[in-house]
Amino acid sequence: MEINVAKRTGFCSGVQQAYNEVKNSIVDKNKIYIYGELVHNKKVIEELNRAGAITIKGLDDIPEDSINETVIIRAHGISKAEKELLEERFSKVIDMTCPIVTNLVKYVGNKQKEGFFVVVYGKPDHPEILGLKGNVDENKLLITLSPVKISQRKILIVSQTTMGEEEYKNFIVSILTINSFTEVLIRDTICSETVLREKETLELSQKSTLMLVIGGKNSSNTQKLYRISKKYCKRTYHIESLEELKEIVISSQDKIGIVTGSSTPTSQLNKVLEYLSQKKEDLS
Ligand code: SF4
């Protein structure tokens, strides 16, 4: 049995910083509020809840006694109005919006001021996009996954930071084909950590007989890695727990490739590696 692990595993930098902040704040205060799920990973959320973190689903969910408490904004970011409300209701707001997301928001806002209409290749209901919408001029913004006809002529095209590189390129070609803009600015705003994980998944899946994609079932970046891997390796499994791994038939001939989503902690990967090294011994 051969086991190959992707070079980039564990939390991405944005999630790691937010996670560290939550852990440190819990040590200081015993209790901390997080606005929205910190990561799309059930095990991590359960671990943080046990340690004293309380997830607030939305503004309606803010507790009555919040004025003495601290709230953390997760890596996806939030709208300006929501942030102002949190500042009114909590004694302290720690903004852990990922710097890559913050840069995108600032860039879009600045370009709108220069007269650009901004087309964002992204999912309209994704938290990062909802945050972006709530920080810029919504009248000069279009969020879409499919290329559409646009009446404006001076255009900036950007992408949600976690979209696929290939799909974004295809989107750009299509939207330019069906429109005749007078001025177009195209910016690559996809997070490089996402792109590199996708490249590694593609490479590993082409040389593996079995692929394990570790991450939350509700994590869209993990789902994307699963889809990429499945194209090249039929025996690709998206697993969230060791229990799921135990059900997969593994042989001594298998070449196993392992990748993780950007919201999967190293501890989950280590559990999988421990299990596989034992399995390897058992099969030899
Ligand atoms: S995936 Fe990239 S943009 Fe998103 S939180 Fe992680 S580092 Fe930031």
Side-chain angles (χ1 to χ4, degrees), residues 12-15 75 98 100-101 161-162 191 193-194 262:
C12 64
S13 59
V15 169
C98 175
I100 297 169
V101 176
T161 61
T162 47
C191 166
E193 291 199 36
T194 316
S262 54

Side-chain angles (χ1 to χ4, degrees), residues 25 32 37 42 56 65 102 105 121 132 166 178 183 192 194 205 210 231 260 268 275 280:
S25 301
I32 198 87
E37 276 199 338
K42 218 165 59 189
I56 301 171
D65 62 349
T102 305
V105 173
Y121 175 63
L132 169 69
E166 267 319 296
I178 59 172
E183 191 177 343
S192 62
T194 316
S205 62
L210 190 152
K231 263 194 208 167
T260 73
Q268 279 181 14
Y275 172 83
K280 193 174 173 178

Side-chain angles (χ1 to χ4, degrees), residues 106-271:
K106 279 189 190 152
Y107 183 68
V108 168
N110 288 340
K111 287 294 161 193
Q112 285 181 330
K113 283 183 196 135
E114 288 174 26
F116 283 90
F117 181 85
V118 183
V119 177
V120 184
Y121 175 63
K123 297 177 185 163
D125 58 348
H126 189 279
E128 175 191 316
I129 292 298
L130 296 175
L132 169 69
K133 265 167 73 175
N135 280 286
V136 299
D137 185 347
E138 273 203 66
N139 297 317
K140 296 180 188 163
L141 191 72
L142 174 74
I143 319 283
T144 179
L145 281 172
S146 34
V148 285
K149 280 250 181 207
I150 298 166
S151 58
Q152 284 80 3
R153 290 286 165 261
K154 188 175 171 178
I155 302 288
L156 165 67
I157 304 174
V158 294
S159 168
Q160 185 183 315
T161 61
T162 47
M163 299 306 281
E165 213 181 20
E166 267 319 296
E167 289 97 334
Y168 182 40
K169 279 184 193 156
N170 294 339
F171 171 84
I172 293 167
V173 171
S174 307
I175 200 161
L176 292 180
T177 308
I178 59 172
N179 285 284
S180 39
F181 303 129
T182 50
E183 191 177 343
V184 189
L185 196 55
I186 296 165
R187 175 99 160 193
D188 179 4
T189 52
I190 297 176
C191 166
S192 62
E193 291 199 36
T194 316
V195 175
L196 293 171
R197 278 175 203 245
E198 285 171 23
K199 282 194 177 136
E200 278 199 277
T201 302
L202 190 133
E203 282 161 20
L204 266 181
S205 62
Q206 286 173 335
K207 59 179 189 191
S208 302
T209 59
L210 190 152
M211 280 289 290
L212 298 175
V213 182
I214 311 168
K217 290 280 157 63
N218 56 345
S219 155
S220 58
N221 77 80
T222 312
Q223 287 165 6
K224 197 176 354 140
L225 298 183
Y226 171 78
R227 284 197 299 275
I228 293 170
S229 177
K230 189 81 180 166
K231 263 194 208 167
Y232 302 98
C233 177
K234 283 204 176 79
R235 289 169 69 216
T236 293
Y237 298 91
H238 178 175
I239 58 165
E240 200 171 5
S241 66
L242 212 49
E243 286 63 45
E244 288 170 289
L245 174 59
K246 287 177 186 167
E247 285 171 18
I248 299 170
V249 179
I250 298 173
S251 86
S252 59
Q253 304 302 313
D254 270 325
K255 276 182 161 189
I256 305 174
I258 303 177
V259 295
T260 73
S262 54
S263 49
T264 307
T266 309
S267 57
Q268 279 181 14
L269 167 67
N270 289 342
K271 279 186 193 152

Side-chain angles (χ1 to χ4, degrees), residues 13-25 33-35 38 71-78 83 93-102:
S13 59
V15 169
Q16 186 68 59
Q17 281 165 23
Y19 177 83
N20 292 349
E21 185 60 48
V22 172
K23 291 291 260 193
N24 293 339
S25 301
Y33 288 90
I34 307 171
Y35 191 67
L38 188 78
V71 66
I72 291 182
I73 297 171
R74 61 185 174 167
H76 290 122
I78 57 171
K83 190 171 177 190
V93 177
I94 303 176
D95 189 349
M96 294 310 295
T97 306
C98 175
I100 297 169
V101 176
T102 305

